[in-house]
Amino acid sequence: MDIGELLADGGVVLHSGASSKRQALHTVAEAAAHTFGLPEGRIMEALLEREALGSTGLGSGVAVPHARLEGISRVTAVFVRLDTPVAYGAVDDRPVDLLFALFAPPCDGAEHLRALAAVSRALRSPEMREQLRQARTVDAVRALFVRDQVSASAA
């Protein structure tokens, strides 16, 4: 699975002044709404419904919020890097500053799960997380995910 291809055009936000989990998810919903041309409120509602089932905070400052959305045709992602980490209820109780949000059509099954697994694997790497925190441009973020896919397929 090519994680770089999941990232929607315009779906990378490198600076967000969110000061809470809700504001961080709002930033994700805003980027997704702009990217997908869907109502921001509907996206936010879907994200909050998923979070109500349990936190999507994986630990080490990473969260992978995800939701199913009517109106999209394939699994697509939005990446948000917060300026300051926020309390997120992650499994390790550490605040989150990297959010890789996945969105799938309602009828999608296995592709959504493969995307979640691939993103979780990539973000488990301390080097990858640090490089994402240091990336200065959207292109640099995309390149990190493409490079990670190349090295994963070579292994």
Side-chain angles (χ1 to χ4, degrees):
M1 161 138 326
D2 187 339
I3 300 170
E5 285 186 18
L6 293 175
L7 283 170
D9 289 337
V12 176
V13 177
L14 296 182
H15 299 286
S16 171
S19 60
S20 68
K21 177 179 180 175
R22 187 175 188 87
Q23 285 180 354
L25 290 171
H26 177 38
T27 301
V28 168
E30 190 174 55
H34 174 73
T35 301
F36 305 148
L38 296 173
E40 183 181 319
R42 194 170 91 200
I43 296 169
M44 183 68 174
E45 184 179 313
L47 289 168
L48 290 173
E49 282 178 18
R50 171 54 191 87
E51 287 298 319
L53 299 174
S55 178
T56 56
L58 302 180
S60 301
V62 172
V64 183
H66 50 280
R68 296 189 182 273
L69 291 177
E70 291 281 348
I72 62 172
S73 59
R74 66 180 184 87
V75 177
T76 310
V78 170
F79 176 80
V80 173
R81 184 179 70 205
L82 304 177
D83 295 330
T84 305
V86 298
Y88 200 90
V91 294
D92 63 357
D93 286 327
R94 288 182 52 192
V96 164
D97 64 336
L98 302 175
L99 295 96
F100 195 104
L102 288 166
F103 299 95
C107 60
D108 181 84
E111 192 68 18
H112 183 219
L113 296 176
R114 279 195 293 276
L116 276 169
V119 168
S120 297
R121 238 184 341 268
L123 295 174
R124 207 173 302 139
S125 161
E127 296 82 17
M128 175 67 135
R129 293 190 306 267
E130 187 55 33
Q131 289 170 339
L132 286 168
R133 289 180 174 113
Q134 299 303 318
R136 300 249 186 261
T137 66
V138 169
D139 288 340
V141 167
R142 283 186 183 281
L144 287 168
F145 285 112
V146 170
R147 188 194 74 207
D148 180 71
Q149 179 55 38
V150 170
S151 52
S153 61

